[in-house]
């Protein structure tokens, strides 16, 4: 019952793409659990410290746990009239105050490829 209630309260669904899943699996269980907890919290309540726009269409889920800064990059897909998605691209352990530009570019490249493939499959299904 609790999970159904939470599902109705969430603002978006999160889809973990391959590199984001692999990043999480490399972490210890407690760190991974904290990141997932923060992502779930961001899905219910707008908290800029947990989910923040970086640049252009790229956002990041932010977690500080045991003096370590974790970032999971992602982007929105609002093309479905029923579901709003955030697709996570990959993650890093942040070592400096500034988010490395190459990580934002990597997320943007994955976003562009995702929508290119999605548009091809959508347009390919129309007759």
């Amino acid at each position: 019952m609790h999970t159904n209630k939470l599902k109705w309260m969430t603002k978006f669904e999160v889809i973990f793409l391959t590199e984001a899943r692999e990043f999480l699996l490399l972490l210890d269980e407690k760190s991974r659990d904290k990141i997932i907890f923060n992502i779930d919290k961001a899905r219910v309540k707008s908290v800029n410290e947990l989910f923040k726009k970086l640049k252009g269409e790229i956002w990041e889920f932010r977690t500080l746990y045991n003096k370590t800064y974790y970032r999971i990059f992602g982007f929105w897909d609002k093309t479905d009239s029923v579901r709003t998605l955030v697709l996570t691209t990959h993650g890093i352990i942040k070592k400096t105050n500034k988010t490395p530009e190459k990580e934002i570019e990597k997320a943007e490249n994955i976003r562009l490829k995702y929508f290119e493939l999605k548009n091809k499959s959508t347009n390919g299904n129309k007759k």
Side-chain angles (χ1 to χ4, degrees):
M1 184 169 156
H2 174 69
T3 54
N4 287 339
K5 185 176 181 182
L6 182 63
K7 185 175 182 177
W8 289 109
M9 294 172 30
T10 58
K11 298 172 188 246
F12 54 86
E13 292 180 48
V14 177
I15 306 294
F16 293 91
L17 299 179
T18 302
E19 283 190 54
R21 277 195 313 270
E22 289 172 352
F23 172 75
L24 289 170
L25 290 172
L26 290 173
L27 302 175
D28 66 272
E29 185 178 0
K30 288 185 177 186
S31 297
R32 183 173 47 247
D33 288 348
K34 180 64 174 176
I35 292 168
I36 298 299
F37 174 83
N38 282 349
I39 289 172
D40 284 342
K41 187 174 177 182
R43 291 175 59 217
V44 176
K45 184 177 180 187
S46 296
V47 181
N48 199 41
E49 294 84 40
L50 298 179
F51 189 50
K52 179 181 175 186
K53 185 171 187 174
L54 284 177
K55 182 178 179 183
E57 301 297 321
I58 303 304
W59 290 65
E60 68 177 354
F61 288 103
R62 305 156 55 97
T63 297
L64 170 60
Y65 180 71
N66 269 352
K67 301 179 184 174
T68 303
Y69 293 90
Y70 299 94
R71 298 295 186 260
I72 305 278
F73 299 92
F75 59 89
W76 294 88
D77 180 350
K78 298 180 182 180
T79 58
D80 188 312
S81 61
V82 178
R83 300 183 330 168
T84 299
L85 304 175
V86 171
L87 291 100
T88 60
T89 59
H90 67 291
I92 63 169
I93 295 174
K94 196 168 170 187
K95 299 189 184 327
T96 64
N97 285 340
K98 190 166 170 66
T99 300
E101 190 65 32
K102 70 177 185 168
E103 301 299 342
I104 297 170
E105 289 171 7
K106 180 178 182 175
E108 177 62 12
N109 288 334
I110 294 169
R111 185 187 77 81
L112 292 171
K113 186 169 189 162
Y114 167 82
F115 281 112
E116 179 184 320
L117 292 171
K118 183 173 183 172
N119 289 335
K120 279 184 184 176
S121 70
T122 302
N123 293 335
N125 292 335
K126 292 181 181 176
K127 297 194 177 195

